Amino acid sequence: MKGPTLELNINSASDLENVNHITKMNVYAVITLSGDKKIQKAKTGVDRYGGSNPNWNHAVKFSVNERLAREGRLTLVVGLFSSRLLGNKDIGEVEVPLGYLLPSTNGNGNGNGHEMKFVTYQVRTPSEKMKGSLTFSYRFGGTPIISGPAYQQVPASWASPSQHGYGPHCYMPQPPPPPHNEEIRLQKAGLVVSALSLFRE
C-alpha cells in the first residue's frame, strides 16, 4: 500500500555559527529521511550571499512509511554545511522524529491540509551546543493519513518547534483531577458552616 508523501520546503536558517571564522560562509543543506530500508536524501543549492543567514526555499518530497513513522523509527535530519575549496565543513544539524510531524489526536502535526505549516528548530553544532535556527515548512499529501497517536519520545538533543521562536521542549504538568461528587458536597457544606459562623459573630 502506497504511503503518504512528505512535502518539505527548506526555507532558511539564521544566526548560524561561522565555521569559516574570517570569510563569509556559502551554506547548503542536506536533507535525509532515514530509518527505512531505503534512505532518501536531497540537497539544496548553495547560498553564496547570506553567510550565517542563508535562504534556499528548496522544495523536497519524500515517500513515508506511516507505520514506521508512528513507531518512532523514521527521522528527518537536515545537515548544514559550508561549501569550501579545501573541503566542506559541518556547521550543524536539525534532527526531528518524523512521527512528531504526523497528524494526531493530540493536535501535533499538520494533517492533510493544503496549507504548509512553518516550524523553526534550533541547530545543534558538532560540539553539541545549540547555535542558530532552521525554518522549514511541511505538509503530508497523497494517501490520506488516519489520525492516531503521535510518537512522543524526544531525544535530549532535540528542540521542539515553535512558530514564534525556538527553545527546549517543555512538558506542561497534568491538571489536577476534577473533584468527586462527595468532595463537592463536603466543600459546599464547609462553605455553609463558614457563612453561619460569620452571622453568629
Side-chain angles (χ1 to χ4, degrees):
M1 179 178 178
K2 187 178 179 181
T5 299
L6 172 62
E7 301 177 20
L8 291 168
N9 194 74
I10 307 301
N11 301 99
S12 61
S14 61
D15 195 29
L16 298 177
E17 184 172 36
N18 190 348
V19 296
N20 289 6
H21 302 299
I22 298 175
T23 61
K24 182 185 289 185
M25 295 188 298
N26 299 321
V27 184
Y28 67 94
V30 175
I31 310 100
T32 306
L33 183 61
S34 60
D36 205 344
K37 292 180 180 179
K38 181 181 179 181
I39 296 177
Q40 301 175 72
K41 184 176 289 189
K43 177 182 173 182
T44 70
V46 178
D47 185 334
R48 303 188 181 278
Y49 305 100
S52 294
N53 303 285
N55 285 276
W56 304 286
N57 288 318
H58 184 86
V60 180
K61 289 186 179 182
F62 291 138
S63 59
V64 174
N65 184 318
E66 186 178 353
R67 179 181 61 82
L68 294 181
R70 295 211 181 272
E71 291 174 356
R73 295 162 62 185
L74 295 184
T75 303
L76 177 67
V77 180
V78 182
L80 304 175
F81 301 89
S82 175
S83 177
R84 308 194 310 178
L85 291 175
L86 299 178
N88 300 340
K89 194 160 185 181
D90 188 1
I91 300 171
E93 68 176 22
V94 166
E95 181 180 328
V96 186
L98 192 63
Y100 188 84
L101 301 181
L102 284 172
S104 65
T105 54
N106 64 9
N108 286 335
N110 187 47
N112 296 340
H114 296 292
E115 294 184 2
M116 302 286 279
K117 181 177 181 180
F118 285 82
V119 289
T120 297
Y121 288 87
Q122 288 182 299
V123 175
R124 187 180 68 249
T125 68
S127 60
E128 297 297 323
K129 70 177 182 178
M130 295 298 185
K131 173 62 175 171
S133 62
L134 172 75
T135 297
F136 66 86
S137 55
Y138 73 94
R139 67 184 174 190
F140 289 92
T143 304
I145 299 176
I146 301 174
S147 294
Y151 176 61
Q152 292 297 321
Q153 183 177 339
V154 180
S157 60
W158 180 69
S160 70
S162 169
Q163 293 179 327
H164 306 288
Y166 53 88
H169 193 81
C170 298
Y171 289 96
M172 297 298 292
Q174 291 292 327
H180 296 292
N181 291 336
E182 182 64 20
E183 293 177 1
I184 295 174
R185 187 183 67 78
L186 292 174
Q187 288 173 4
K188 289 181 178 179
L191 291 174
V192 172
V193 171
S194 299
L196 289 175
S197 62
L198 290 174
F199 283 115
R200 289 172 182 170
E201 293 176 358

